[in-house]
Amino acid sequence: MTQSSTQTATTPARPASAEVAGQMTHREILEALSGLLLAMFVAMLSSTVVSNALPRIVTDLHGSQSGYTWVVVATLLTMTASTPVWGKLADQFNKKLLVQTALVIYVAGSLIAATAPSMGVLIGARAVQGLGVGGLTALVQVVIASMVTPRERGRYSGYLGAVFALATVSGPLIGGLLVDAPGLGWRSCFYVGIPIAAIAFVVLQKTLHLPVVRRDVHIDYLGAGLIVSGVSALLVWVSLAGNDFAWASGTSAVFVGLGVVLLIAAVYVEMRVAAEPVIPTRLFRDRTTALATVASVFVGVAMFGATVYLSQYFQIARGMSPTHAGLMSISMVGGLLVSSIVSGRAITRTGRWKRFLVGGMVLVVVGLVLLSFIDEQTPLVVVGGFMAVLGVGLGSTMQNLVLAVQNNTAQADMGSASAVVAFFRSMGGSIGVSALGAVLSAQVSDKVRSGLAALHIPTDAHQSHQIPDLRTLPAPVRAVFEHAFGSATGELFLIATPFAVLALLAVVFIREVPLRTTIERDDELEQVSA
């Protein structure tokens, strides 16, 4: 398992001088970026477009609540577990080919999902989709890092924020319209991303021209298998515990024990056995990478764990339709969009990035604290204002954490380092969604039971966990459910706040290194010259 230390760069097909030097002109970057942004939009759309269609899907395919959960978990599982593998492949193979491969995998999964005759087939198709989405999520950042210097990368990261915002807002709206449209239905939700993926494939083929680096390739199959298996065991546990089995149960112990043992074995293989580890442990010797990874975990817990339940808050506690609830996210996504663009341009202009990371995390903490005060009677304008504060903070944080890591990373490790940040953020989000979801369920159940008891209405534990059609309930009973979800959602944000504070502390201790103005680090340039 030894690897040759020699690397030879072949001459690119196009003789543009900027490209031969490892640089692309601004116009070439924008042309290639258009294909990358389409790919990122497809990745984000795959999850948001089906959010409002899931109840109809499960009904039509005669699925259960467990099946409902697995339609979501399958994509999340394969996306998160495959992210570091895609990142490592990007360090050893043609990045353009990898992005196009991820697009093909996504299209294949979408076609199977669109024609799925049963819940089992649909869940398998969603797992295939997750593999493609994991590749797109990891690789887009890596390809941008191969085209643009860290100093210039800020202004382009704003475009990624814009795509994130567009997919987050438009996905639920598109899905709702397709499900309700005569002659279309929920299957069209899986078809809608296919033409966009095809356009992205063609655009990348025509516009993305990166220098090809030939290296001896040694894939760490054992390490990759252990990482994927360990992460999968833990994600299955946090996704299903509290619903399919109790948190403190023998089943939980099996999943946790298996996941921990597999990950310990993976760490040993990565440190002692593999010549080309999937996640090189040397990356964590860099203070910025280590602290940014810690921050990514806690940002994932706070961001995904709390905000994913806002739609439920608007629909149940405030009586909104799914479409109206989707529109309410514009305030937070708008803040994220403006913040990511403004901070990115300011970073490119000044070369300083830590102030935006720290300031963004402060706003995330403030936004979560403000949202902890909401209930079923809080004016919607006030709720929207609190969400905007949170969005501004997230816009200054998410992309810039990746930028800080990429600035300190050698080009040969760029794929692995970028994927590590995305991987741990997804892990944190997965854990946050499941754990905080269990907390929300318990809080709502307690409040419903006490509320119905005050009305002298008998209930049992099963009924208190159900979510009835509020339109069919008498006004006093409906008020009990609205209050339960309204106040419990506020408490959820309060629980998420300490995780954001921990992320803030990690960011504060990151040492700011001025953004370099070359693709490679100085030591890499010196090695090439020698």
Side-chain angles (χ1 to χ4, degrees), residues 203-353:
V203 171
L204 289 173
Q205 181 65 30
K206 291 184 176 181
T207 62
L208 184 59
H209 303 282
L210 297 174
V212 179
V213 176
R214 305 292 186 191
R215 348 179 16 182
D216 292 336
V217 176
H218 296 280
I219 301 176
D220 177 21
Y221 294 105
L222 178 59
L226 289 171
I227 290 172
V228 170
S229 300
V231 170
S232 298
L234 293 179
L235 285 180
V236 169
W237 171 60
V238 299
S239 299
L240 301 184
N243 292 317
D244 290 37
F245 49 84
W247 287 94
S249 65
T251 305
S252 288
V254 169
F255 276 115
V256 173
L258 179 62
V260 170
V261 169
L262 289 171
L263 290 179
I264 290 175
V267 171
Y268 176 79
V269 170
E270 297 295 273
M271 295 182 66
R272 302 293 185 184
V273 179
E276 277 288 333
V278 176
I279 301 179
T281 53
R282 65 177 179 274
L283 295 175
F284 299 103
R285 297 172 193 164
D286 177 68
R287 176 177 170 181
T288 296
T289 301
L291 289 173
T293 300
V294 172
S296 295
V297 174
F298 293 129
V299 166
V301 173
M303 179 179 68
F304 294 107
T307 57
V308 73
Y309 296 105
L310 276 172
S311 177
Q312 192 176 45
Y313 163 79
F314 287 122
Q315 293 186 52
I316 299 177
R318 309 311 295 260
M320 295 183 181
S321 67
T323 302
H324 192 184
L327 289 173
M328 282 301 299
S329 67
I330 290 178
S331 56
M332 184 172 71
V333 175
L336 188 151
L337 170 62
V338 172
S339 176
S340 60
I341 293 176
V342 172
S343 64
R345 291 186 176 276
I347 289 171
T348 295
R349 186 176 65 255
T350 63
R352 315 298 293 185
W353 47 267

Side-chain angles (χ1 to χ4, degrees), residues 84-133:
V85 179
W86 282 107
K88 187 60 184 179
L89 291 175
D91 291 331
Q92 297 190 333
F93 291 98
N94 186 304
K95 298 177 181 63
K96 172 180 174 179
L97 180 60
L98 286 173
V99 176
Q100 292 177 313
T101 300
L103 285 169
V104 171
I105 292 173
Y106 167 82
V107 169
S110 298
L111 286 173
I112 299 172
T115 57
S118 66
M119 286 295 295
V121 175
L122 177 62
I123 290 169
R126 291 286 288 171
V128 175
Q129 269 193 322
L131 286 175
V133 172

Side-chain angles (χ1 to χ4, degrees), residues 429-520:
S430 304
I431 294 170
V433 167
S434 299
L436 293 181
V439 172
L440 178 67
S441 177
Q443 292 286 340
V444 168
S445 178
D446 290 342
K447 295 178 187 299
V448 168
R449 275 202 301 266
S450 61
L452 293 180
L455 296 175
H456 305 290
I457 299 176
T459 184
D460 56 33
H462 175 71
Q463 289 173 322
S464 64
H465 279 86
Q466 289 182 324
I467 304 176
D469 185 351
L470 299 186
R471 295 171 298 180
T472 65
L473 297 179
V477 177
R478 174 173 178 168
V480 168
F481 278 92
E482 289 176 344
H483 172 71
F485 277 93
S487 58
T489 302
E491 293 169 4
L492 207 63
F493 285 104
L494 184 61
I495 296 172
T497 300
F499 295 100
V501 172
L502 292 174
L504 172 60
L505 290 176
V507 166
V508 167
F509 286 103
I510 292 178
R511 183 170 61 90
E512 182 167 30
V513 177
L515 297 179
R516 65 178 188 253
T517 56
T518 58
I519 296 291
E520 294 83 6

Side-chain angles (χ1 to χ4, degrees), residues 40-57 68 71-72 75 106 110 113-114 122 126 129 133 164-180 184-196 322-323 326:
M40 182 62 77
F41 181 78
V42 161
M44 293 299 305
L45 192 69
S46 67
S47 58
T48 59
V49 75
V50 299
S51 59
N52 288 336
L54 279 175
R56 188 76 58 84
I57 293 173
Y68 185 108
V71 171
V72 179
T75 303
Y106 167 82
S110 298
L122 177 62
R126 291 286 288 171
Q129 269 193 322
V133 172
F164 178 87
L166 180 62
T168 302
V169 173
S170 64
L173 298 178
I174 293 173
L177 291 173
L178 291 175
V179 170
D180 293 333
L184 293 179
W186 61 264
R187 294 184 185 276
S188 58
C189 292
F190 297 107
Y191 284 120
V192 71
I194 295 178
I196 303 175
T323 302

